[in-house]
């Protein structure tokens, strides 16, 4: 349901974008800053190089390492670093960002791809399908097990089925032990019969 709403929401965003004089892509990704410049890397940098740059800068600008006077400035820088890394660590998002850098005039296209990726579910569809199939299978198993137990509980109370089940059990030698126990009362004998009847599959 949520995935079906994404195109509508994106359309609404694009319809209400400001005019050409204001509608730039400066509020997307890293805003007015260049994500590559924030991490001090280049467009040719590899994924591992970007990750290494992020870790190094995150340690330097972590708010906990700064005094109260510089804490606010460090927090802003730390957020910028984290945002830049989120953009550049994902290949698809990075590709969209690179396209925006090369084609800043295509703001409608840039807005669309930015919000589409931002609002789309992050979970792998294959995982969702696998989990769904597993849950359905578990439900079907317990539902079938419940129906089988309910059916057995009903049949155990039916004289015709009890007679047939006891005859089958006697042929299989399942009543031998019960015949040897003569001192049991009627309730114990009936309970033992029901236990044996439940063990008869046919």
């Amino acid at each position: 349901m949520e995935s079906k709403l994404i195109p509508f929401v994106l359309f609404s965003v694009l319809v209400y974008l400001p005019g050409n004089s204001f509608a730039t892509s400066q509020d997307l990704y890293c805003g007015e800053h260049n994500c590559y410049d924030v991490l001090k890397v280049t467009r040719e940098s590899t994924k591992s190089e970007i990750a290494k740059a992020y870790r190094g800068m995150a340690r330097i600008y972590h708010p906990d390492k700064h005094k109260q006077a510089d804490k606010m400035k460090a927090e802003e820088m730390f957020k910028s670093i984290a945002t830049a890394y989120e953009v550049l660590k994902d290949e698809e998002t990075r590709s969209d960002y690179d396209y925006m850098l090369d084609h800043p005039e295509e703001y409608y296209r840039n807005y669309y791809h930015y919000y589409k990726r931002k609002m789309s579910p992050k979970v792998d569809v294959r995982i969702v399908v696998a989990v769904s199939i597993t849950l359905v299978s578990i439900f079907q198993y317990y539902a079938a097990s419940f129906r089988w137990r309910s059916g057995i509980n009903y049949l155990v109370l039916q004289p015709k089925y009890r007679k047939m089940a006891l005859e089958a059990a006697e042929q299989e030698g399942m009543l031998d032990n019960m015949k040897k126990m003569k001192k049991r009362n009627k309730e114990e004998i009936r309970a033992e019969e029901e236990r044996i009847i439940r063990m008869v599959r046919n």
Side-chain angles (χ1 to χ4, degrees):
M1 184 66 181
E2 292 180 358
S3 59
K4 294 181 180 179
L5 292 174
I6 291 176
F8 173 76
V9 175
L10 292 176
F11 175 76
S12 301
V13 171
L14 293 176
V15 166
Y16 289 100
L17 279 177
N20 291 354
S21 61
F22 182 76
T24 66
S25 302
Q26 291 184 350
D27 54 337
L28 306 182
Y29 303 104
C30 295
E32 297 181 355
H33 302 288
N34 184 298
C35 292
Y36 292 101
D37 293 342
V38 171
L39 294 180
K40 298 181 180 180
V41 294
T42 66
R43 293 180 64 169
E44 289 72 34
S45 298
T46 63
K47 194 172 183 178
S48 60
E49 290 173 340
I50 292 173
K52 183 178 180 180
Y54 164 72
R55 289 193 296 267
M57 296 190 68
R59 283 194 296 268
I60 296 173
Y61 290 98
H62 197 284
D64 292 343
K65 293 187 176 183
H66 292 262
K67 296 180 180 180
Q68 193 63 34
D70 301 325
K71 202 175 188 67
M72 186 174 294
K73 186 176 180 180
E75 285 179 354
E76 293 178 0
M77 188 62 186
F78 187 79
K79 290 178 182 178
S80 297
I81 293 168
T83 300
Y85 182 62
E86 286 295 317
V87 173
L88 301 182
K89 74 174 183 178
D90 181 78
E91 293 182 3
E92 294 182 353
T93 305
R94 182 179 179 181
S95 178
D96 286 340
Y97 179 66
D98 288 344
Y99 187 92
M100 188 195 73
L101 293 179
D102 296 332
H103 306 278
E105 72 284 356
E106 297 183 23
Y107 41 83
Y108 287 114
R109 187 265 182 199
N110 295 330
Y111 266 88
Y112 176 81
H113 281 268
Y114 174 79
Y115 282 106
K116 179 183 178 182
R117 203 168 299 285
K118 193 176 184 66
M119 298 171 66
S120 296
K122 301 297 182 181
V123 180
D124 193 331
V125 176
R126 292 170 296 182
I127 297 177
V128 175
V129 172
V131 171
S132 299
I133 292 174
T134 302
L135 292 176
V136 170
S137 300
I138 293 173
F139 173 78
Q140 290 177 338
Y141 170 79
Y142 281 105
S145 178
F146 174 77
R147 288 196 299 269
W148 183 84
R149 289 195 302 271
S150 299
I152 291 296
N153 291 336
Y154 171 77
L155 290 174
V156 163
L157 301 176
Q158 305 305 310
K160 185 176 180 180
Y161 175 79
R162 288 178 65 88
K163 182 179 179 181
M164 293 174 58
L166 288 173
E167 289 176 354
E170 186 174 8
Q171 291 176 1
E172 296 179 11
M174 299 171 66
L175 300 181
D176 293 346
N177 292 333
M178 190 178 71
K179 291 178 180 179
K180 296 177 182 178
M181 301 178 181
K182 297 180 180 180
K183 294 184 178 181
R184 288 190 174 186
N185 57 40
K186 292 182 179 180
E187 292 182 359
E188 290 177 334
I189 293 174
R190 185 176 179 82
E192 182 66 14
E193 285 181 352
E194 290 187 2
R195 186 187 69 81
I196 294 173
I197 290 171
R198 293 175 191 275
M199 293 173 62
V200 178
R201 302 301 186 192
N202 298 324

